[in-house]
Amino acid sequence: MNAEADRIDALADRLDVPPPWRAAMHAVPRHLFVPPVAWVDPYDGPAYLVDRDHDQQRWMDAAYANAAIIVQKDDGATPLAEEGRYTSSLSSPDVVFAFLDLLDPYEADEILEIGTGTGWTAGLLAHRVGEQNVISIEVDAALAEQAAVTLANAGVIPKLVTGDGAEIRPEGGPFDRVHVTCGVATVPYGWVEQIRPGGVIVFPWMSGWEPGHKARLTVMPDGRAVGRFAHGGCGYMMLRSQRPANTDEPPGDPRESATMTDPRRLCRDSYAADVAIAGQCPDVRSAPKHHDDGTFELYLHAGDSAAQVIYSPLYKASTVRQYGSRNLWDEVEAAFFRWVSWGEPGRDRFGMTVAPEGQQIWLDSPNNVL
């Protein structure tokens, strides 16, 4: 067995990848989708640059590590070695296969993928269900062009479409599965309309409160899509049409107060609390920040409103500053304690319904909307 196959098997063993996807990993090797120069962002250490021409061994190690590999910053405007916002990546293999496991396609299922990126997941899907059964949409023309070349070199050629995945409706539907590789706060109902009853849509739900959540919805005969959140969080780059705007501090003086509630509890107490808060405060975005001295800051934004909560480990209390028309800290604090009053239900008790009139988050039953 060659070194490449050994690397693939070692990664598959580490992630406990089932045989059908393991075969796809060998047929569509991940390193083919890593650009010559890439930015590696591991779970357990600082990000770093790899350059195949300067250190092929390190580049190959990165290709088969369980780490995200950033292939674009600021939509291509910023070189990978420089500071910038991540806008496209080759996702960590554990997250890729977690979502593919949720997708659970049958042989010859017709699949629509939103977000081609490097093309690796499109290639894995094409090997699993047949390249003629996979359509993948990419909004970035440069990424789409490179993915087409890479997939052709890998020997799999699914249908690739360049355009806005939130709007475009490619020929070939209705589909059995929709596989979304970018974060979405609001599920476009057009995706649901392209799935036949009993079909599935899998996506990272990223409302803006803390990390994202794996969601799997099944389309009902009445046109609704209903399902629950899966175990484990996730973090993806947002669908471009749903990227949050850069928010400046709202004008006006803050309303200052204090709280004995530790804001860290709201952010890290439970992933289920994250779902509960996000479901009750769907437009609130959070940005937590830990400092070396133990101080913790939580920033909240929504529309014309903002809040800053600064926790002091010395005084075991927090200063609260709230701006704009809403008291965002009061809203999320109330949402947290409402979750506590429900008995701190776990993530798998929460679910989502997407219908023509919008989406809802619920607890235990679609009839019990948050």
Side-chain angles (χ1 to χ4, degrees), residues 127-158:
H127 180 268
R128 179 73 184 272
V129 303
E131 59 187 26
Q132 73 279 5
N133 294 318
V134 176
I135 298 176
S136 186
I137 302 175
E138 173 56 53
V139 68
D140 188 296
L143 290 175
E145 182 178 357
Q146 181 57 54
V149 172
T150 306
L151 284 163
N153 290 338
V156 287
I157 309 178

Side-chain angles (χ1 to χ4, degrees), residues 207-211 213 266-267 273-274 277-278 284-286 298 300 332:
S207 72
W209 177 263
E210 281 296 286
H213 312 280
L266 276 66
C267 296
D274 293 343
I277 294 172
V284 177
R285 305 191 66 82
S286 65
L298 176 64
L300 306 172
V332 299

